[in-house]
Amino acid sequence: MANGFEPTATAPGTALLTVDQLSAGYGKIRALHGISLTVQAAQIVCVLGANGAGKTTLMRALSGLLPVSEGTACFDGQSIANVPTETLVRRGIVHVPQGRMVFAQLSVRENLVLGGFTRPAREVREHIDHVLDYFPRLKERIGSRAGTLSGGEQQMLAIARGLLAKPRLLMLDEPSMGVAPIMKDSIFAALREIRDRERLTLLIVEQDADIALDIADEGYVIETGRVVMQGLASALAGNEDIRRAYLGG
Ligand SMILES: Nc1ncnc2c1ncn2[C@@H]1O[C@H](COP(=O)(O)OP(=O)(O)OP(=O)(O)O)[C@@H](O)[C@H]1O
Ligand SMILES: [Mg+2]
């Protein structure tokens, strides 16, 4: 196989992630109230919502960083609720956090190597070259310290680092945040290309509805921890209520 990614066992068109009536929060504060959503294999699904809607809480509950208090979440037929993060990474669920969280003092290459922590070093070295083909800009900066990169370059690095774990489901928390418009386009174009070529499944949460709906197949809108709208991305992009709330008229 030329692409360097493992083939996924799940055929396109079957549900890879199924979330049913999921609730989660912080101590006694409940932030998610019965969220249900489905992500088919090789689909791009976006979750839209304003500040504080619960987008990050959802990502954290699905990646073992926050306890699930009610409901279920299944990945490829197995429960992922309240499973430790490292186990989920090994099963193929990788979360690129909001705010990128790259290691500022380490080089681009060192950050990428850390992304492959679950895998043999030799394999990771080869895989880095493959992943960098999607981000030529990062390739040019491979020896630079991550802290010296622009916001957009750091986001590329965070995504590339996530890919080094060989995910089957990559979850991205606001990849457009703090990124210049031209870099946003380049990042989202790379995400689409990765899905098309690698058949990778993507769950993206965003406040920038325009750019997310442009690459997504399906979308969900959440408000105060509840799904208030869902549908084909093309239908949501043309929906008047969504245009008013998230696309500036
Ligand atoms: N550590 C925390 N402790 C208590 N409450 C929290 C904590 N983090 C988030 N919340 C609350 O949970 C709710 C959902 O927050 P969350 O961070 O998931 O929203 P978000 O949609 O990701 O927002 P943003 O677009 O600003 O990132 C909010 O009411 C928020 O105040
Ligand atoms: Mg958030």
Side-chain angles (χ1 to χ4, degrees):
M1 209 186 31
N3 65 18
F5 281 71
E6 303 285 62
T8 56
T10 319
T14 50
L16 186 60
L17 177 71
T18 311
V19 177
D20 190 34
Q21 292 297 315
L22 181 136
S23 297
Y26 303 88
K28 284 187 179 158
I29 305 167
R30 192 188 266 207
L32 300 181
H33 307 268
I35 297 270
S36 299
L37 61 87
T38 305
V39 182
Q40 312 281 339
Q43 251 192 348
I44 300 179
V45 172
C46 70
V47 175
L48 307 173
N51 276 323
K55 303 181 300 295
T56 296
T57 306
L58 176 63
M59 299 260 107
R60 302 188 81 217
L62 295 177
S63 54
L65 296 168
L66 263 188
V68 170
S69 53
E70 277 174 54
T72 58
C74 283
F75 175 72
D76 200 18
Q78 279 187 301
S79 176
I80 56 165
N82 303 312
V83 171
T85 303
E86 191 180 330
T87 308
L88 295 180
V89 172
R90 289 179 194 278
R91 283 202 211 157
I93 301 179
V94 173
H95 170 193
V96 178
Q98 183 167 358
R100 313 181 277 267
M101 309 292 177
V102 297
F103 297 99
Q105 302 301 321
L106 301 184
S107 71
V108 168
R109 181 178 291 282
E110 287 163 338
N111 271 275
L112 293 174
V113 166
L114 288 173
F117 77 97
T118 57
R119 303 168 49 214
R122 217 196 92 135
E123 205 181 294
V124 170
R125 275 198 301 275
E126 286 171 12
H127 196 195
I128 286 176
D129 294 336
H130 173 68
V131 166
L132 287 177
D133 286 343
Y134 291 107
F135 300 103
R137 182 118 182 184
L138 270 189
K139 200 184 271 185
E140 291 164 19
R141 310 225 38 197
I142 190 78
S144 307
R145 275 208 272 174
T148 67
L149 303 182
S150 71
E153 289 166 344
Q154 288 190 18
Q155 186 62 59
M156 289 175 176
L157 174 56
I159 295 168
R161 184 179 61 183
L163 290 171
L164 262 303
K166 280 209 173 179
R168 298 177 59 201
L169 171 68
L170 188 65
M171 302 197 294
L172 303 153
D173 193 344
E174 296 207 45
S176 78
M177 197 179 78
V179 174
I182 189 161
M183 291 292 274
K184 273 191 208 180
D185 291 344
S186 158
I187 288 168
F188 278 75
L191 291 173
R192 176 158 30 201
E193 200 185 344
I194 291 163
R195 188 280 299 271
D196 290 348
R197 291 221 203 147
E198 321 278 354
R199 312 306 293 161
L200 180 66
T201 308
L202 298 171
L203 179 62
I204 304 176
V205 308
E206 262 299 341
Q207 284 195 54
D208 189 331
D210 232 348
I211 199 157
L213 289 173
D214 189 44
I215 68 161
D217 302 296
E218 308 258 348
Y220 291 80
V221 179
I222 62 173
E223 273 174 29
T224 55
R226 292 179 177 84
V227 174
V228 294
M229 217 181 289
Q230 70 186 80
L232 288 176
S234 53
L236 294 180
N239 180 291
E240 280 307 312
D241 293 336
I242 297 209
R243 298 206 71 79
R244 261 194 301 278
Y246 299 101
L247 301 172

